[in-house]
Amino acid sequence: MPKVGEHYIVVNGKENPVAVIEIESVQIVPMNEVTEEFALAEGEGDYQFWWDAHRKFFTELLKEYDIAFTPNMLVVCERFKKVYPK
């Protein structure tokens, strides 16, 4: 689990480092309780797009573990800031 204050290196598709982030907050919530504000902060469309994309992602991923997706499954929501480069 990420912890507030930890730093992580972000890599691009070629595994080259491109940034360093610092974790600002971590919450574990049921997916169907993730706020619209949090979802929109990801910057990838509206809330329905976020929901559909995440449901699809988790449905496929969980198949590998013989687990079914449920709307109230717990997810980790983290906020971070980019600390390098400024």
Side-chain angles (χ1 to χ4, degrees):
M1 283 291 292
K3 292 186 173 80
V4 173
E6 289 183 331
H7 291 80
Y8 291 92
I9 298 171
V10 178
V11 297
N12 64 16
K14 295 181 180 181
E15 299 295 317
N16 295 317
V18 294
V20 175
I21 60 170
E22 179 181 349
I23 304 301
E24 294 188 305
S25 70
V26 179
Q27 292 181 299
I28 300 172
V29 298
M31 186 163 151
N32 58 3
E33 293 181 24
V34 172
T35 65
E36 183 173 358
E37 182 265 335
F38 183 88
L40 295 178
E42 287 190 8
E44 297 182 13
D46 63 15
Y47 182 76
Q48 190 61 54
F49 177 85
W50 179 90
W51 179 263
D52 293 341
H54 284 75
R55 181 186 61 223
K56 180 180 177 185
F57 171 79
F58 286 123
T59 297
E60 292 302 313
L61 178 67
L62 292 171
K63 282 181 186 177
E64 297 177 29
Y65 302 95
D66 251 351
I67 301 171
F69 169 83
T70 61
N72 63 343
M73 68 179 209
L74 297 178
V75 294
V76 178
C77 296
E78 53 185 299
R79 293 189 181 272
F80 59 87
K81 66 180 176 182
K82 183 174 73 165
V83 295
Y84 181 84
K86 292 276 182 188

